[in-house]
């Protein structure tokens, strides 16, 4: 057996390990494992759902605070000995949209409860109970895109989510929306985001 990080497990690597019976992916993402090739080689594949949900959720909230308070610019100007006054927003009162209300998205919603935000979320498998417990409104993806001041992205990379944030979806967002992408990079079309 192997405890895998993010190294590729595909047809070629499986042929080099003919006695392999199980790959246990240390983490959640399965994009580095060719599950179909593993099936052909009779290799069982597992992962660790939810194992990193709390630290990722904390990081997402930290990035939101950093963005609304303009902390990168403030830090850089302070290092240069400048004491500029910056205009910033507060997290309180913002509409935060969560795309992907799974292990991580639910933890983000719980952590935002103390900030008095309006939290909206969408997921392919909506969890009504978790939404009630975190004062989160379950809405459509279109509503998250159009209503959010901050959009937090927590979906796995699948064929359906590849480049789900693209030129078309970005046209539906508010001007100046903040994106916190805590998903695999390929979920976002970086070329469209940079425009």
């Amino acid at each position: 057996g192997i405890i895998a990080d993010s190294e590729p497990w595909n047809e070629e690597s499986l042929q080099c390990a003919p006695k392999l019976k199980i790959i246990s992916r240390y983490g959640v993402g399965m994009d580095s494992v060719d599950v179909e090739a593993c099936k052909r080689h009779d290799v069982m594949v597992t992962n660790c759902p939810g194992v990193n949900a709390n630290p990722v959720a904390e990081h997402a909230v930290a990035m939101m605070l950093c963005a609304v308070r303009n902390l990168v610019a403030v830090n850089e100007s302070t290092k240069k000995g400048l004491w500029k006054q910056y205009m910033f927003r507060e997290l309180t009162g913002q509409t935060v949209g969560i795309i992907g209300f799974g292990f991580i998205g639910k933890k983000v919603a719980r952590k935002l409860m103390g900030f008095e935000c309006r939290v909206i979320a969408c997921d392919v498998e909506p969890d009504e109970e978790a939404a009630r417990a975190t004062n989160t409104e379950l809405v459509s993806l279109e509503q998250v895109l159009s209503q959010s001041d901050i959009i937090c992205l927590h979906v796995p990379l699948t064929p359906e989510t590849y480049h789900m944030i693209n030129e078309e979806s970005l046209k539906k967002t508010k001007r100046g929306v903040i994106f916190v992408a805590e998903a695999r990079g390929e979920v976002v079309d970086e070329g469209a985001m940079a425009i």
Side-chain angles (χ1 to χ4, degrees), residues 1-4 9 14 17 19-25 38 41-47:
I2 185 80
I3 297 173
W9 283 95
L14 290 166
K19 294 182 180 180
L20 185 63
K21 296 294 178 202
I22 186 168
I23 297 172
S24 182
R25 173 69 184 82
C38 289
H41 287 265
D42 291 323
V43 175
M44 183 186 300
V45 179
T46 66
N47 66 348

Side-chain angles (χ1 to χ4, degrees), residues 80-149:
K80 294 175 184 171
L82 304 173
W83 300 98
K84 290 183 173 183
Q85 283 196 311
Y86 286 89
M87 295 302 294
F88 56 83
R89 297 187 282 183
E90 296 180 20
L91 193 49
T92 297
Q94 301 292 314
T95 297
V96 179
I98 300 172
I99 301 174
F101 198 58
F103 287 112
I104 298 168
K106 290 171 192 171
K107 293 237 181 230
V108 169
R110 180 159 304 281
K111 291 176 187 328
L112 289 173
M113 290 175 75
F115 287 98
E116 301 172 16
C117 302
R118 174 181 178 228
V119 180
I120 59 177
C122 65
D123 196 278
V124 293
E125 296 178 15
D127 185 337
E128 300 276 348
E129 186 178 332
R132 279 190 300 277
T134 57
N135 199 27
T136 299
E137 300 169 50
L138 293 175
V139 299
S140 69
L141 175 60
E142 303 292 320
Q143 289 171 294
V144 168
L145 292 170
S146 65
Q147 296 178 21
S148 300
D149 301 304

Side-chain angles (χ1 to χ4, degrees), residues 6-19:
S6 56
E7 71 277 3
W9 283 95
N10 52 31
E11 188 65 42
E12 182 182 355
S13 54
L14 290 166
Q15 287 177 4
C16 295
K19 294 182 180 180

Side-chain angles (χ1 to χ4, degrees), residues 31 99 124 141 153-169 183-192:
D31 48 298
I99 301 174
V124 293
L141 175 60
L153 190 59
H154 300 291
V155 295
L157 176 61
T158 66
E160 295 76 29
T161 62
Y162 177 81
H163 281 187
M164 77 181 295
I165 303 302
N166 53 42
E167 187 175 353
E168 287 305 308
S169 60
R184 295 290 190 247
E186 294 89 345
V187 172
V188 176
D189 178 348
E190 292 179 8

